[in-house]
Amino acid sequence: MFWDKSAETIDRSALEKLQLTRLQETVGRVLKHVPFYQQQFAQAAIPSDVIRELADIRRLPFTTNADLRAQYPRGFLVGDGGGPVRLHTSSGTTGKPKAIFFSRGDIDRAANLAARCLVMSGNTDRDILQNMMTYGLFTGALMMHYGAEKVGMMVIPAGPGNSEKQLLLMQDFSSTVFHTTPSYALYFADFMEKKGVDPRRDLSLKRAFIGAEPYSEETRRKIEEAFGIEVYNSYGLSEMNGPGVAFECAAKQGMHLWEDHFLMEVLDPVTNEPVPEGCPGELVLTTLCREAMPLIRYRTRDITSVVAEPCSCGRTHRRIRRITGRTDDMLIVRGANIYPQQIERILMSVPGVGRNYLICLSGLDEMTVKVELSASEFDGRVERLVHLQTQLTERLRAEIMVKPLVELVPPGSLPPSEGKAKRVIDNRAL
Ligand code: DLL
């Protein structure tokens, strides 16, 4: 099923033509309205008609997270015609946020992209979406909410947390879909188990959209098994609308990135050269349709690769693989480069491990991985726990080249997360 079949299955050469026109318009727009880009182009002596073909994108300057913060609050805002009707800010780090503006048309286009994602993953106007993402300055809940309403789904704007209430709503209003982060999905699975709720028997759930944080295939499987549903990976970032940038189709072999709205590059983060297709690199995105806040070559810092083969679903927009980490979340421990997701993947693949974990760095370079046990394992025998601890230590050491201290803790004892999970606590005295 398609939301906008002609756009989703557009022939690649027509798509590239459309991208070129939209890129030229976008460059014209920022050069007319955004002093930041005027200066960048002037400094690098880039002519205003630089874009003759798509490959010319590589002649344009990058936009970084630091640029967005430096230009806070209104530096990137285009103030002509369709002025902003909405402000969102980026989530996460401390200090000044990144301000992201949307015009009326931007909101409508973002909602249409979300609708494409929802229909692509099998939703219809008979579905009931329990939206457990955070409403507010974060784009996560609102953009998907608008998309679902376009599709005609009934939306329950539950917001995050308050698991008692979530369960009540889910039962009483027969939610068929939920939208949340992987960490809250796992936490909620534990909560249901404690309440003696069997989702296959007691709930009407069919699927979930999980995103806003990195997670592994193993975690996807855990969520699918715990709820008896299909889980679809959903990728996005505030700077590019929020959710609805890339999303899985029924094949679940990578996320279609909507290339008529975003021009994608995958670059080596050190040399800034494109990596060969299929190889991992940093995703760099240029908005092609944004009015209030167009961005050129935005460095997402997310590491992914492009799936080269065409998709069986018929959509022509290329797919990106699951994000394997961010260029800025790499930990250096005793000289080894470690991504928290490598640790997550191992933990979630070992039977007996529960649904939450925390990586703690302390002292000179000590790593402790606190791992919740599954409810069944918690009642297990001491020998079994010692075996599990040894197994985890060895598997982690083989994966990350550092031997961590593995601490097994009771189910539900690590801090739950409502928004994005904090997986690493770094108190090193380095
Ligand atoms: O997290 C937008 C979003 C909301 C996406 C709901 C999906 C669902 P930000 O707060 O700006 O926006 O954070 C964006 O989150 O650069 C990635 O590092 C990470 N991220 C988002 N989705 C995924 C995903 C939203 N599916 C940052 N897998 C991005 C891995 C993800 N990381």
Side-chain angles (χ1 to χ4, degrees):
M1 273 194 311
F2 295 90
W3 174 251
D4 184 349
K5 189 166 183 185
S6 58
E8 293 171 49
T9 60
I10 183 172
D11 172 80
R12 289 287 315 172
S13 62
L15 175 61
E16 282 168 17
K17 238 162 113 187
L18 182 67
Q19 286 181 317
L20 179 60
T21 311
R22 289 183 171 173
L23 179 61
Q24 286 166 335
E25 281 166 8
T26 298
V27 169
R29 207 168 156 71
V30 299
L31 283 183
K32 193 161 168 214
H33 297 284
V34 184
F36 170 81
Y37 286 120
Q38 290 163 352
Q39 278 160 21
Q40 296 270 318
F41 274 61
Q43 267 166 19
I46 304 169
S48 56
D49 61 351
V50 56
I51 302 292
R52 302 278 167 88
E53 54 181 7
L54 282 176
D56 291 328
I57 182 89
R58 292 183 50 207
R59 298 175 60 193
L60 303 187
F62 291 113
T63 311
T64 64
N65 186 39
D67 295 329
L68 255 63
R69 288 186 200 284
Q71 296 296 318
Y72 176 89
R74 289 193 178 78
F76 279 95
L77 175 63
V78 168
D80 71 334
V85 298
R86 174 90 63 80
L87 169 73
H88 279 286
T89 62
S90 68
S91 56
T93 42
T94 50
K96 279 184 183 170
K98 290 170 278 181
I100 320 287
F101 299 96
F102 295 83
S103 70
R104 198 176 295 285
D106 290 333
I107 297 277
D108 195 53
R109 280 182 290 274
N112 268 308
L113 291 187
R116 279 189 200 176
C117 299
L118 292 168
V119 172
M120 175 164 72
S121 49
N123 296 282
T124 70
D125 58 5
R126 288 191 296 282
D127 279 297
I128 298 168
L129 170 65
Q130 188 153 331
N131 197 354
M132 300 162 146
M133 279 288 179
T134 304
Y135 279 80
L137 287 168
F138 180 47
T139 50
L142 277 168
M143 293 308 183
M144 214 36 114
H145 180 123
Y146 280 41
E149 285 186 351
K150 269 195 189 282
V151 174
M153 299 163 76
M154 185 175 95
V155 184
I156 306 176
N162 198 345
S163 302
E164 288 281 356
K165 181 82 158 281
Q166 299 284 5
L167 187 56
L168 180 96
L169 292 167
M170 217 170 244
Q171 283 174 321
D172 291 349
F173 298 96
S174 310
S175 309
T176 59
V177 195
F178 65 92
H179 177 214
T180 189
T181 56
S183 45
Y184 188 69
L186 290 172
Y187 176 80
F188 190 62
D190 262 350
F191 176 82
M192 272 186 341
E193 216 170 82
K194 276 193 214 123
K195 290 274 166 189
V197 173
D198 174 355
R200 289 169 180 81
R201 183 194 62 207
D202 305 325
L203 302 174
S204 313
L205 293 172
K206 290 189 235 164
R207 63 188 82 85
F209 318 124
I210 304 289
E213 330 174 301
Y215 63 112
S216 59
E217 270 308 312
E218 286 73 15
T219 293
R220 183 220 294 268
R221 223 165 294 133
K222 263 198 165 169
I223 301 171
E224 290 188 332
E225 278 163 19
F227 291 93
I229 55 169
E230 296 284 335
V231 164
Y232 295 89
N233 194 4
S234 160
Y235 171 78
L237 58 160
S238 321
E239 295 82 343
M240 302 282 138
N241 289 357
V245 174
F247 206 93
E248 284 178 325
C249 62
K252 296 206 284 187
Q253 297 290 326
M255 298 176 280
H256 289 281
L257 191 141
W258 301 123
E259 293 183 87
D260 51 344
H261 286 246
F262 306 103
L263 191 67
M264 83 159 125
E265 298 170 86
V266 181
L267 305 181
D268 178 319
V270 178
T271 64
N272 294 336
E273 291 298 317
V275 296
E277 197 166 54
C279 294
E282 179 184 348
L283 183 66
V284 173
L285 295 172
T286 298
T287 63
L288 295 176
C289 301
R290 280 290 287 276
E291 279 174 346
M293 193 169 152
L295 291 176
I296 304 283
R297 302 192 89 194
Y298 184 68
R299 313 269 320 220
T300 67
R301 302 192 285 188
D302 292 321
I303 300 165
T304 184
S305 53
V306 170
V307 180
E309 304 80 47
C311 186
S312 55
C313 77
R315 289 175 182 82
T316 46
H317 299 245
R318 285 177 301 167
R319 288 167 289 166
I320 56 168
R321 295 195 172 84
R322 186 177 285 288
I323 307 294
T324 54
R326 287 175 58 81
T327 53
D328 56 354
D329 71 4
M330 189 182 76
L331 305 168
I332 302 180
V333 180
R334 289 178 236 155
N337 296 345
I338 301 171
Y339 288 100
Q341 251 186 291
Q342 292 175 278
I343 296 178
E344 189 231 55
R345 192 159 47 77
I346 298 292
L347 297 180
M348 294 301 153
S349 68
V350 174
V353 169
R355 297 180 178 126
N356 203 354
Y357 68 95
L358 191 62
I359 302 162
C360 302
L361 300 168
S362 61
L364 284 180
D365 230 354
E366 303 306 320
M367 176 187 270
T368 304
V369 181
K370 297 187 180 185
V371 186
E372 281 189 6
L373 289 164
S374 68
S376 56
E377 204 63 35
F378 187 54
D379 298 330
R381 288 170 307 145
V382 174
E383 309 88 81
R384 168 75 197 130
L385 296 183
V386 171
H387 172 73
L388 181 61
Q389 195 176 31
T390 313
Q391 188 191 8
L392 285 172
T393 310
E394 285 312 312
R395 292 215 28 205
L396 286 171
R397 190 169 65 107
E399 171 70 26
I400 62 177
M401 304 302 171
V402 165
K403 187 172 176 182
L405 186 69
V406 172
E407 203 179 297
L408 301 175
V409 301
S413 60
L414 294 175
S417 66
E418 289 196 352
K420 300 196 188 217
K422 190 162 170 48
R423 296 298 194 190
V424 180
I425 296 183
D426 193 344
N427 287 328
R428 281 179 289 187
L430 291 172

